[in-house]
Amino acid sequence: MIYNVKYVLKIKLHLLKNIHYKIQRREELHNSKFMQRENMAVSKKDVEYVAELARLSFTEEEKESLAHDLNSVLGYIDKLNELDTDNVDIIVNPYYIENKFREDVVEPSMDLKDVIKNSPKNLEEYIIVPKIIE
């Protein structure tokens, strides 16, 4: 069965949002070793629940694959959480780019008659162009 890429990405995004919610809840409610890492894993049941909400159907292999992929993402996030970032400054963009603004300068425009003279086709003061959209 072939699925539209848009819908597969939607389900993955929804699952990631669900995972993010679980992580937030875990940190809020169980900020100790009370909750073990296994409870944070995405199960096939979670995939089925989100798939039902998104009105998508997957084979058993696809459900297991999605759960495995999302658990890999969680594993990577756990690995990143091991980093000590207490003394690191928050950087939004590593390259400091400053906008260069200039003052608006009003300059005279071309005369309408000259513009119309240069156009291949015109109707009074309008330029006629070929149709490009059906």
Side-chain angles (χ1 to χ4, degrees):
M1 188 178 302
I2 298 175
Y3 294 100
N4 187 336
V5 174
K6 178 180 157 184
Y7 292 111
V8 172
L9 290 175
K10 260 188 185 179
I11 186 78
K12 285 187 177 187
L13 178 64
H14 203 291
L15 286 169
L16 285 173
K17 285 180 180 178
N18 191 12
I19 291 167
H20 180 71
Y21 173 76
K22 283 184 174 184
I23 290 171
Q24 284 181 330
R25 293 295 294 160
R26 181 184 76 171
E27 290 175 0
E28 290 172 6
L29 300 176
H30 304 282
N31 205 3
S32 64
K33 293 184 179 182
F34 176 77
M35 183 180 269
Q36 305 239 344
R37 186 182 183 287
E38 290 79 31
N39 292 340
M40 276 303 299
V42 177
S43 67
K44 194 168 76 169
K45 185 177 179 182
D46 294 329
V47 173
E48 290 169 350
Y49 173 71
V50 176
E52 182 182 341
L53 291 176
R55 295 186 178 141
L56 295 174
S57 60
F58 295 106
T59 64
E60 292 300 315
E61 292 173 359
E62 290 170 329
K63 290 176 190 175
E64 290 173 13
S65 174
L66 280 170
H68 178 267
D69 291 347
L70 292 169
N71 283 320
S72 296
V73 171
L74 280 178
Y76 182 70
I77 291 170
D78 281 344
K79 194 73 165 166
L80 288 175
N81 284 336
E82 293 175 8
L83 293 174
D84 180 22
T85 58
D86 292 337
N87 298 324
V88 178
D89 291 336
I90 296 173
I91 298 176
V92 176
N93 187 347
Y95 303 107
Y96 180 74
I97 300 173
E98 185 176 325
N99 289 331
K100 304 283 184 191
F101 294 110
R102 62 171 174 76
E103 293 294 321
D104 287 338
V105 179
V106 179
E107 296 179 357
S109 176
M110 289 180 66
D111 187 40
L112 182 61
K113 290 179 185 176
D114 293 335
V115 174
I116 297 297
K117 280 184 197 175
N118 286 327
S119 67
K121 292 182 180 179
N122 65 319
L123 176 63
E124 296 177 9
E125 58 186 37
Y126 299 101
I127 297 173
I128 300 173
V129 296
K131 183 177 181 179
I132 58 170
I133 300 176
E134 295 295 326

